[in-house]
Amino acid sequence: MDHDFIFEARQARVLFGAGRIEALAGEVDRLGAKRALILSTPQQRAQAENTVRRLGNTAIGIFDQAVMHVPIETARAARAEAKRLNADCCVAIGGGSTVGLAKAIALVTGLPIVAIPTTFAGSEMTPIWGLTEDGIKTTGRDARVLPKTVIYDPELTLTLPPAAVGTSGINAMAHSVEALYAENANPVASLMAEESLRALAVSLPKIIAQPEDLAARSEALYGAWLAGLVLGTVGVALHHKLCHTLGGSFAMPHAEIHTLILPHAAAYNAAAAPDAMARVARALGVQNAPAGLFDLAVSVGAEMALSEFGMTEADLDRAAEIALTNPYYNPRPIEKGAIRALLDDAYYGRRPDM
Ligand code: NAD
């Protein structure tokens, strides 16, 4: 094989394992922080309160208003709260929405982040921030928003309902699938991507069958960690662009949409990225990568028809138009008719069977 790549890694300190949350106070101290602002969604307020108890006097407040896609108003309110309390660190306990809010604070203040992920989204391992203003989501990369410390404790995922486990896990797999055919794919990222796909493919159905299986949750979280690392170091392509469009312009739910689009994005790129597809298929233990991704999603109970999420066929035309704007890398050229056909397959939830 003819190798040609750039590899760059900027990584957080990672603690992984059941019960690792016990190390939180020591980790905040290790950063030299004395005034930690705890962030969560309203739904995870109880976990934020537990975090305050773990930190004692080092916790100076809770901001529990994190929501999907970081609306600019929420970011401003959280920044104001960090300033009012003179915080010197943010502790984010939750999924991508909460970590995203911590990043919005760090982007303008440089405050260090300790992230405690409770889903499989992977944001905690990336320097990617996102902010939504007037219905338009802007994203960028900035080293300041990469968390300094990440504590992965699978016990914290036990409250994540099985349906969310399935889609959140496949959201992580999407990072790894696209990393295998990204413009700046590299051998290290590809090793991590393939291993993350294997770990998630084997563990997600086990969690659905037995939600309290902590070993399976640990394996899924391990796969999610690798997928987040991969997303942080390698670019993305068609799949993420489509999901960004459907989430940003049509308010479709994040993890669910990643789950139903992934098999179709993989099918679109299959002929142009045969090596990547072979690695996906190997990781999943299947013959055909796009069909295998579809079958996995069905096996974890995911809804596979875009029509069920309130989109109309007219919306598909507009989504195809938007996906064609701002040229971006993809192994197969972006062609309007083919993208519209992809969206049609996703709309009706057809299994890719090429
Ligand atoms: P989320 O953070 O929005 O969480 C979804 C819901 O599940 C919330 O109500 C949350 O409180 C709840 N929840 C989370 N963990 C729980 C648990 N263990 N038990 C019970 N409830 C729990 O969902 P997400 O899919 O993790 O994140 C999606 C967001 O993250 C999107 O905005 C996406 O764009 C962003 N994201 C960013 C990156 C990045 O690198 N910047 C990467 C992936 C995702």
Side-chain angles (χ1 to χ4, degrees):
M1 194 186 223
D2 185 16
H3 293 289
D4 181 13
F5 59 86
I6 295 175
F7 176 70
E8 194 182 327
R10 245 184 271 110
Q11 286 166 18
R13 172 176 160 86
V14 172
L15 289 81
F16 196 110
R20 281 285 188 187
I21 189 68
E22 300 295 337
L24 177 63
E27 289 302 315
V28 170
D29 189 50
R30 198 171 181 276
L31 293 173
K34 304 269 181 259
R35 300 179 61 79
L37 175 62
I38 318 304
L39 305 173
S40 75
T41 60
Q43 297 82 359
Q44 287 180 279
R45 170 92 197 180
Q47 280 179 313
E49 285 168 357
N50 284 339
T51 308
V52 168
R53 278 190 282 281
R54 285 180 195 288
L55 287 175
N57 290 339
T58 309
I60 47 146
I62 296 178
F63 185 89
D64 68 358
Q65 295 301 308
V67 286
M68 192 84 85
H69 303 313
V70 199
I72 188 73
E73 299 76 18
T74 312
R76 287 190 183 125
R79 289 166 181 165
E81 187 65 352
K83 191 171 177 200
R84 186 182 72 79
L85 294 169
N86 195 21
D88 60 5
C89 146
C90 289
V91 174
I93 181 154
S97 298
T98 305
V99 174
L101 184 60
K103 288 176 167 181
I105 297 173
L107 188 64
V108 295
T109 62
L111 286 188
I113 300 169
V114 176
I116 309 166
T118 62
T119 70
F120 306 122
S123 176
E124 65 283 348
M125 292 311 296
T126 82
I128 304 167
W129 55 265
L131 282 168
T132 304
E133 188 164 10
D134 297 331
I136 296 182
K137 185 168 178 177
T138 309
T139 60
R141 286 182 181 249
D142 191 313
R144 278 179 305 175
V145 309
L146 182 71
K148 296 281 180 286
T149 307
V150 182
I151 300 179
Y152 286 99
D153 188 333
E155 287 179 358
L156 300 176
T157 73
L158 284 168
T159 48
L160 192 63
V165 165
T167 55
S168 184
I170 294 177
N171 177 195
M173 293 176 80
H175 309 329
S176 294
V177 169
E178 292 232 297
L180 289 167
Y181 56 62
E183 187 172 26
N184 54 354
N186 67 70
V188 176
S190 295
L191 282 171
M192 294 193 291
E194 190 174 336
E195 170 66 353
S196 87
L197 291 170
R198 183 206 59 73
L200 284 155
V202 78
S203 58
L204 295 179
K206 285 188 191 168
I207 301 172
I208 302 304
Q210 201 157 14
E212 67 282 9
D213 183 342
L214 190 60
R217 294 218 179 222
S218 181
E219 185 74 348
L221 197 58
Y222 159 72
W225 165 58
L226 289 173
L229 255 176
V230 158
L231 179 66
T233 51
V234 178
V236 292
L238 173 68
H239 169 80
H240 282 77
K241 171 75 177 180
L242 284 177
C243 292
H244 197 123
T245 302
L246 294 169
S249 304
F250 299 92
M252 294 289 114
H254 178 83
E256 290 86 339
I257 290 305
H258 269 270
T259 301
L260 80 82
I261 291 292
L262 183 60
H264 303 291
Y268 187 95
N269 284 329
D275 293 344
M277 289 305 132
R279 293 184 82 151
V280 175
R282 188 166 64 195
L284 269 59
V286 299
Q287 292 294 320
N288 179 295
L293 289 166
F294 186 93
D295 295 343
L296 178 68
V298 170
S299 80
V300 299
E303 172 57 64
M304 296 308 283
L306 202 44
S307 57
E308 294 298 314
F309 289 88
M311 294 238 341
T312 64
E313 291 215 40
D315 290 337
L316 301 185
D317 295 328
R318 196 153 68 85
E321 295 279 350
I322 298 171
L324 277 144
T325 58
N326 304 329
Y328 54 97
Y329 173 80
N330 193 60
R332 174 180 164 191
I334 305 296
E335 296 150 10
K336 190 171 176 196
I339 294 295
R340 182 62 179 79
L342 180 167
L343 288 170
D344 202 66
D345 287 341
Y347 189 77
Y348 289 105
R350 296 185 194 109
R351 178 179 186 267
D353 56 353
M354 18 118 22

mmCIF file of all heavy atoms in Angstrom, residues 49-85:
data_model
loop_
_atom_site.group_PDB
_atom_site.id
_atom_site.type_symbol
_atom_site.label_atom_id
_atom_site.label_comp_id
_atom_site.label_asym_id
_atom_site.label_seq_id
_atom_site.Cartn_x
_atom_site.Cartn_y
_atom_site.Cartn_z
ATOM 1 N N GLU A 49 -26.060 17.413 40.636
ATOM 2 C CA GLU A 49 -26.028 17.580 42.097
ATOM 3 C C GLU A 49 -25.085 16.558 42.747
ATOM 4 O O GLU A 49 -24.366 16.882 43.688
ATOM 5 C CB GLU A 49 -27.447 17.487 42.663
ATOM 6 C CG GLU A 49 -28.219 18.771 42.366
ATOM 7 C CD GLU A 49 -29.720 18.675 42.633
ATOM 8 O OE1 GLU A 49 -30.188 17.584 43.008
ATOM 9 O OE2 GLU A 49 -30.408 19.696 42.433
ATOM 10 N N ASN A 50 -25.080 15.338 42.220
ATOM 11 C CA ASN A 50 -24.121 14.341 42.735
ATOM 12 C C ASN A 50 -22.691 14.812 42.501
ATOM 13 O O ASN A 50 -21.801 14.587 43.337
ATOM 14 C CB ASN A 50 -24.298 12.994 42.018
ATOM 15 C CG ASN A 50 -25.521 12.270 42.515
ATOM 16 O OD1 ASN A 50 -26.003 12.552 43.616
ATOM 17 N ND2 ASN A 50 -26.036 11.346 41.716
ATOM 18 N N THR A 51 -22.490 15.456 41.379
ATOM 19 C CA THR A 51 -21.148 15.956 41.050
ATOM 20 C C THR A 51 -20.730 17.042 42.039
ATOM 21 O O THR A 51 -19.580 17.085 42.482
ATOM 22 C CB THR A 51 -21.141 16.501 39.601
ATOM 23 O OG1 THR A 51 -21.671 15.485 38.757
ATOM 24 C CG2 THR A 51 -19.750 16.867 39.143
ATOM 25 N N VAL A 52 -21.680 17.891 42.398
ATOM 26 C CA VAL A 52 -21.397 18.929 43.407
ATOM 27 C C VAL A 52 -20.979 18.265 44.712
ATOM 28 O O VAL A 52 -20.001 18.668 45.348
ATOM 29 C CB VAL A 52 -22.639 19.828 43.621
ATOM 30 C CG1 VAL A 52 -22.469 20.697 44.859
ATOM 31 C CG2 VAL A 52 -22.890 20.690 42.390
ATOM 32 N N ARG A 53 -21.700 17.226 45.104
ATOM 33 C CA ARG A 53 -21.366 16.533 46.361
ATOM 34 C C ARG A 53 -19.943 15.955 46.305
ATOM 35 O O ARG A 53 -19.208 16.010 47.280
ATOM 36 C CB ARG A 53 -22.388 15.429 46.659
ATOM 37 C CG ARG A 53 -23.650 15.986 47.327
ATOM 38 C CD ARG A 53 -24.542 14.872 47.844
ATOM 39 N NE ARG A 53 -25.316 14.248 46.785
ATOM 40 C CZ ARG A 53 -26.422 14.770 46.269
ATOM 41 N NH1 ARG A 53 -26.908 15.904 46.726
ATOM 42 N NH2 ARG A 53 -27.069 14.152 45.308
ATOM 43 N N ARG A 54 -19.569 15.428 45.153
ATOM 44 C CA ARG A 54 -18.224 14.855 45.027
ATOM 45 C C ARG A 54 -17.142 15.929 45.145
ATOM 46 O O ARG A 54 -16.042 15.667 45.610
ATOM 47 C CB ARG A 54 -18.049 14.203 43.653
ATOM 48 C CG ARG A 54 -18.751 12.907 43.523
ATOM 49 C CD ARG A 54 -18.549 12.291 42.138
ATOM 50 N NE ARG A 54 -19.525 11.247 41.971
ATOM 51 C CZ ARG A 54 -19.498 10.082 42.585
ATOM 52 N NH1 ARG A 54 -18.494 9.821 43.390
ATOM 53 N NH2 ARG A 54 -20.445 9.204 42.410
ATOM 54 N N LEU A 55 -17.477 17.136 44.706
ATOM 55 C CA LEU A 55 -16.449 18.182 44.669
ATOM 56 C C LEU A 55 -16.403 19.036 45.934
ATOM 57 O O LEU A 55 -15.433 19.761 46.153
ATOM 58 C CB LEU A 55 -16.671 19.083 43.455
ATOM 59 C CG LEU A 55 -16.308 18.449 42.114
ATOM 60 C CD1 LEU A 55 -16.687 19.373 40.969
ATOM 61 C CD2 LEU A 55 -14.823 18.121 42.052
ATOM 62 N N GLY A 56 -17.457 18.975 46.732
ATOM 63 C CA GLY A 56 -17.470 19.776 47.962
ATOM 64 C C GLY A 56 -17.341 21.262 47.649
ATOM 65 O O GLY A 56 -17.992 21.765 46.718
ATOM 66 N N ASN A 57 -16.468 21.944 48.386
ATOM 67 C CA ASN A 57 -16.350 23.397 48.247
ATOM 68 C C ASN A 57 -15.811 23.844 46.896
ATOM 69 O O ASN A 57 -15.930 25.021 46.540
ATOM 70 C CB ASN A 57 -15.411 23.950 49.333
ATOM 71 C CG ASN A 57 -16.068 23.850 50.691
ATOM 72 O OD1 ASN A 57 -17.298 23.757 50.778
ATOM 73 N ND2 ASN A 57 -15.262 23.846 51.743
ATOM 74 N N THR A 58 -15.218 22.919 46.155
ATOM 75 C CA THR A 58 -14.671 23.299 44.837
ATOM 76 C C THR A 58 -15.792 23.571 43.833
ATOM 77 O O THR A 58 -15.584 24.251 42.830
ATOM 78 C CB THR A 58 -13.733 22.179 44.316
ATOM 79 O OG1 THR A 58 -12.806 21.889 45.353
ATOM 80 C CG2 THR A 58 -12.979 22.598 43.085
ATOM 81 N N ALA A 59 -16.987 23.012 44.084
ATOM 82 C CA ALA A 59 -18.125 23.266 43.187
ATOM 83 C C ALA A 59 -18.783 24.572 43.606
ATOM 84 O O ALA A 59 -19.208 24.714 44.750
ATOM 85 C CB ALA A 59 -19.118 22.116 43.265
ATOM 86 N N ILE A 60 -18.881 25.515 42.666
ATOM 87 C CA ILE A 60 -19.442 26.818 43.062
ATOM 88 C C ILE A 60 -20.822 27.065 42.460
ATOM 89 O O ILE A 60 -21.460 28.075 42.767
ATOM 90 C CB ILE A 60 -18.503 27.972 42.647
ATOM 91 C CG1 ILE A 60 -18.054 27.773 41.205
ATOM 92 C CG2 ILE A 60 -17.302 28.049 43.571
ATOM 93 C CD1 ILE A 60 -17.885 29.036 40.493
ATOM 94 N N GLY A 61 -21.313 26.147 41.628
ATOM 95 C CA GLY A 61 -22.654 26.337 41.093
ATOM 96 C C GLY A 61 -22.980 25.320 40.020
ATOM 97 O O GLY A 61 -22.110 24.603 39.527
ATOM 98 N N ILE A 62 -24.291 25.266 39.684
ATOM 99 C CA ILE A 62 -24.767 24.386 38.610
ATOM 100 C C ILE A 62 -25.453 25.252 37.565
ATOM 101 O O ILE A 62 -26.268 26.121 37.918
ATOM 102 C CB ILE A 62 -25.789 23.353 39.138
ATOM 103 C CG1 ILE A 62 -25.138 22.404 40.144
ATOM 104 C CG2 ILE A 62 -26.405 22.577 37.976
ATOM 105 C CD1 ILE A 62 -26.116 21.386 40.756
ATOM 106 N N PHE A 63 -25.140 25.030 36.311
ATOM 107 C CA PHE A 63 -25.923 25.629 35.218
ATOM 108 C C PHE A 63 -26.530 24.447 34.476
ATOM 109 O O PHE A 63 -25.815 23.685 33.817
ATOM 110 C CB PHE A 63 -25.024 26.477 34.305
ATOM 111 C CG PHE A 63 -25.792 27.201 33.238
ATOM 112 C CD1 PHE A 63 -26.307 28.476 33.478
ATOM 113 C CD2 PHE A 63 -26.028 26.605 32.011
ATOM 114 C CE1 PHE A 63 -27.040 29.137 32.495
ATOM 115 C CE2 PHE A 63 -26.766 27.262 31.027
ATOM 116 C CZ PHE A 63 -27.264 28.532 31.267
ATOM 117 N N ASP A 64 -27.853 24.280 34.594
ATOM 118 C CA ASP A 64 -28.469 23.037 34.097
ATOM 119 C C ASP A 64 -29.348 23.261 32.863
ATOM 120 O O ASP A 64 -30.337 22.575 32.677
ATOM 121 C CB ASP A 64 -29.283 22.382 35.222
ATOM 122 C CG ASP A 64 -30.517 23.202 35.599
ATOM 123 O OD1 ASP A 64 -30.731 24.283 35.018
ATOM 124 O OD2 ASP A 64 -31.272 22.757 36.485
ATOM 125 N N GLN A 65 -28.960 24.217 32.020
ATOM 126 C CA GLN A 65 -29.818 24.551 30.882
ATOM 127 C C GLN A 65 -29.261 24.093 29.528
ATOM 128 O O GLN A 65 -29.641 24.626 28.490
ATOM 129 C CB GLN A 65 -30.055 26.079 30.857
ATOM 130 C CG GLN A 65 -30.830 26.600 32.058
ATOM 131 C CD GLN A 65 -32.197 25.938 32.176
ATOM 132 O OE1 GLN A 65 -32.957 25.913 31.203
ATOM 133 N NE2 GLN A 65 -32.498 25.364 33.330
ATOM 134 N N ALA A 66 -28.370 23.121 29.536
ATOM 135 C CA ALA A 66 -27.828 22.653 28.254
ATOM 136 C C ALA A 66 -28.942 22.042 27.404
ATOM 137 O O ALA A 66 -29.778 21.293 27.922
ATOM 138 C CB ALA A 66 -26.732 21.613 28.499
ATOM 139 N N VAL A 67 -28.941 22.379 26.118
ATOM 140 C CA VAL A 67 -29.890 21.780 25.159
ATOM 141 C C VAL A 67 -29.149 21.477 23.857
ATOM 142 O O VAL A 67 -28.042 21.959 23.638
ATOM 143 C CB VAL A 67 -31.108 22.696 24.838
ATOM 144 C CG1 VAL A 67 -32.082 22.748 25.991
ATOM 145 C CG2 VAL A 67 -30.671 24.089 24.448
ATOM 146 N N MET A 68 -29.806 20.691 23.016
ATOM 147 C CA MET A 68 -29.197 20.256 21.747
ATOM 148 C C MET A 68 -28.735 21.436 20.888
ATOM 149 O O MET A 68 -29.451 22.441 20.770
ATOM 150 C CB MET A 68 -30.263 19.442 20.993
ATOM 151 C CG MET A 68 -29.770 18.668 19.805
ATOM 152 S SD MET A 68 -29.075 17.070 20.248
ATOM 153 C CE MET A 68 -30.519 16.038 20.317
ATOM 154 N N HIS A 69 -27.569 21.289 20.276
ATOM 155 C CA HIS A 69 -27.022 22.217 19.264
ATOM 156 C C HIS A 69 -26.601 23.591 19.791
ATOM 157 O O HIS A 69 -26.355 24.512 19.005
ATOM 158 C CB HIS A 69 -27.987 22.377 18.077
ATOM 159 C CG HIS A 69 -28.316 21.076 17.415
ATOM 160 N ND1 HIS A 69 -27.351 20.149 17.082
ATOM 161 C CD2 HIS A 69 -29.501 20.521 17.058
ATOM 162 C CE1 HIS A 69 -27.933 19.087 16.544
ATOM 163 N NE2 HIS A 69 -29.243 19.282 16.524
ATOM 164 N N VAL A 70 -26.519 23.749 21.106
ATOM 165 C CA VAL A 70 -25.979 24.964 21.743
ATOM 166 C C VAL A 70 -26.519 26.264 21.132
ATOM 167 O O VAL A 70 -25.804 26.977 20.401
ATOM 168 C CB VAL A 70 -24.432 24.982 21.710
ATOM 169 C CG1 VAL A 70 -23.910 25.961 22.762
ATOM 170 C CG2 VAL A 70 -23.836 23.618 21.935
ATOM 171 N N PRO A 71 -27.771 26.619 21.431
ATOM 172 C CA PRO A 71 -28.285 27.921 20.973
ATOM 173 C C PRO A 71 -27.407 29.038 21.547
ATOM 174 O O PRO A 71 -26.965 28.948 22.698
ATOM 175 C CB PRO A 71 -29.692 27.991 21.578
ATOM 176 C CG PRO A 71 -30.039 26.595 21.969
ATOM 177 C CD PRO A 71 -28.747 25.871 22.232
ATOM 178 N N ILE A 72 -27.190 30.084 20.785
ATOM 179 C CA ILE A 72 -26.289 31.152 21.218
ATOM 180 C C ILE A 72 -26.785 31.797 22.524
ATOM 181 O O ILE A 72 -25.981 32.186 23.375
ATOM 182 C CB ILE A 72 -26.089 32.207 20.092
ATOM 183 C CG1 ILE A 72 -25.009 33.213 20.461
ATOM 184 C CG2 ILE A 72 -27.365 32.936 19.744
ATOM 185 C CD1 ILE A 72 -23.614 32.676 20.407
ATOM 186 N N GLU A 73 -28.118 31.848 22.688
ATOM 187 C CA GLU A 73 -28.663 32.462 23.913
ATOM 188 C C GLU A 73 -28.238 31.641 25.146
ATOM 189 O O GLU A 73 -27.906 32.201 26.189
ATOM 190 C CB GLU A 73 -30.201 32.519 23.867
ATOM 191 C CG GLU A 73 -30.785 33.335 22.715
ATOM 192 C CD GLU A 73 -30.730 32.638 21.357
ATOM 193 O OE1 GLU A 73 -30.558 31.401 21.320
ATOM 194 O OE2 GLU A 73 -30.835 33.342 20.325
ATOM 195 N N THR A 74 -28.274 30.317 25.005
ATOM 196 C CA THR A 74 -27.860 29.450 26.123
ATOM 197 C C THR A 74 -26.372 29.624 26.384
ATOM 198 O O THR A 74 -25.930 29.688 27.537
ATOM 199 C CB THR A 74 -28.148 27.967 25.778
ATOM 200 O OG1 THR A 74 -29.472 27.873 25.282
ATOM 201 C CG2 THR A 74 -27.983 27.076 26.985
ATOM 202 N N ALA A 75 -25.602 29.705 25.317
ATOM 203 C CA ALA A 75 -24.149 29.881 25.470
ATOM 204 C C ALA A 75 -23.876 31.191 26.204
ATOM 205 O O ALA A 75 -23.053 31.232 27.129
ATOM 206 C CB ALA A 75 -23.476 29.885 24.102
ATOM 207 N N ARG A 76 -24.598 32.250 25.824
ATOM 208 C CA ARG A 76 -24.359 33.560 26.470
ATOM 209 C C ARG A 76 -24.730 33.508 27.952
ATOM 210 O O ARG A 76 -24.020 34.038 28.796
ATOM 211 C CB ARG A 76 -25.166 34.656 25.765
ATOM 212 C CG ARG A 76 -24.581 34.993 24.406
ATOM 213 C CD ARG A 76 -25.221 36.250 23.809
ATOM 214 N NE ARG A 76 -24.662 36.473 22.482
ATOM 215 C CZ ARG A 76 -25.382 36.603 21.369
ATOM 216 N NH1 ARG A 76 -26.706 36.569 21.416
ATOM 217 N NH2 ARG A 76 -24.788 36.799 20.208
ATOM 218 N N ALA A 77 -25.843 32.849 28.245
ATOM 219 C CA ALA A 77 -26.279 32.768 29.653
ATOM 220 C C ALA A 77 -25.256 31.969 30.474
ATOM 221 O O ALA A 77 -24.925 32.342 31.607
ATOM 222 C CB ALA A 77 -27.656 32.111 29.733
ATOM 223 N N ALA A 78 -24.732 30.899 29.906
ATOM 224 C CA ALA A 78 -23.754 30.068 30.629
ATOM 225 C C ALA A 78 -22.439 30.831 30.812
ATOM 226 O O ALA A 78 -21.813 30.757 31.870
ATOM 227 C CB ALA A 78 -23.518 28.763 29.865
ATOM 228 N N ARG A 79 -22.041 31.569 29.789
ATOM 229 C CA ARG A 79 -20.802 32.364 29.904
ATOM 230 C C ARG A 79 -20.966 33.421 30.998
ATOM 231 O O ARG A 79 -20.039 33.670 31.790
ATOM 232 C CB ARG A 79 -20.490 33.059 28.579
ATOM 233 C CG ARG A 79 -20.025 32.105 27.492
ATOM 234 C CD ARG A 79 -20.061 32.774 26.131
ATOM 235 N NE ARG A 79 -19.647 31.887 25.070
ATOM 236 C CZ ARG A 79 -19.855 32.137 23.775
ATOM 237 N NH1 ARG A 79 -20.483 33.251 23.393
ATOM 238 N NH2 ARG A 79 -19.439 31.282 22.868
ATOM 239 N N ALA A 80 -22.162 34.026 31.044
ATOM 240 C CA ALA A 80 -22.413 35.068 32.050
ATOM 241 C C ALA A 80 -22.367 34.462 33.451
ATOM 242 O O ALA A 80 -21.830 35.070 34.388
ATOM 243 C CB ALA A 80 -23.767 35.723 31.789
ATOM 244 N N GLU A 81 -22.910 33.257 33.586
ATOM 245 C CA GLU A 81 -22.902 32.593 34.891
ATOM 246 C C GLU A 81 -21.467 32.239 35.313
ATOM 247 O O GLU A 81 -21.095 32.428 36.478
ATOM 248 C CB GLU A 81 -23.772 31.326 34.817
ATOM 249 C CG GLU A 81 -23.991 30.613 36.135
ATOM 250 C CD GLU A 81 -24.799 31.420 37.159
ATOM 251 O OE1 GLU A 81 -25.094 32.609 36.930
ATOM 252 O OE2 GLU A 81 -25.110 30.843 38.227
ATOM 253 N N ALA A 82 -20.676 31.763 34.375
ATOM 254 C CA ALA A 82 -19.269 31.441 34.683
ATOM 255 C C ALA A 82 -18.537 32.703 35.136
ATOM 256 O O ALA A 82 -17.743 32.668 36.079
ATOM 257 C CB ALA A 82 -18.593 30.826 33.455
ATOM 258 N N LYS A 83 -18.849 33.814 34.480
ATOM 259 C CA LYS A 83 -18.182 35.072 34.830
ATOM 260 C C LYS A 83 -18.658 35.564 36.205
ATOM 261 O O LYS A 83 -17.862 35.947 37.065
ATOM 262 C CB LYS A 83 -18.506 36.114 33.755
ATOM 263 C CG LYS A 83 -17.667 37.360 33.867
ATOM 264 C CD LYS A 83 -17.866 38.249 32.656
ATOM 265 C CE LYS A 83 -17.049 39.518 32.871
ATOM 266 N NZ LYS A 83 -17.504 40.597 32.034
ATOM 267 N N ARG A 84 -19.981 35.509 36.409
ATOM 268 C CA ARG A 84 -20.558 35.991 37.683
ATOM 269 C C ARG A 84 -19.959 35.231 38.866
ATOM 270 O O ARG A 84 -19.665 35.811 39.911
ATOM 271 C CB ARG A 84 -22.084 35.798 37.646
ATOM 272 C CG ARG A 84 -22.825 36.383 38.833
ATOM 273 C CD ARG A 84 -24.323 36.115 38.750
ATOM 274 N NE ARG A 84 -24.676 34.727 39.004
ATOM 275 C CZ ARG A 84 -24.765 34.158 40.200
ATOM 276 N NH1 ARG A 84 -24.544 34.873 41.286
ATOM 277 N NH2 ARG A 84 -25.081 32.879 40.332
ATOM 278 N N LEU A 85 -19.779 33.907 38.677
ATOM 279 C CA LEU A 85 -19.273 33.078 39.777
ATOM 280 C C LEU A 85 -17.743 33.034 39.819
ATOM 281 O O LEU A 85 -17.166 32.376 40.668
ATOM 282 C CB LEU A 85 -19.817 31.651 39.636
ATOM 283 C CG LEU A 85 -21.336 31.517 39.821
ATOM 284 C CD1 LEU A 85 -21.805 30.123 39.405
ATOM 285 C CD2 LEU A 85 -21.722 31.798 41.266
#
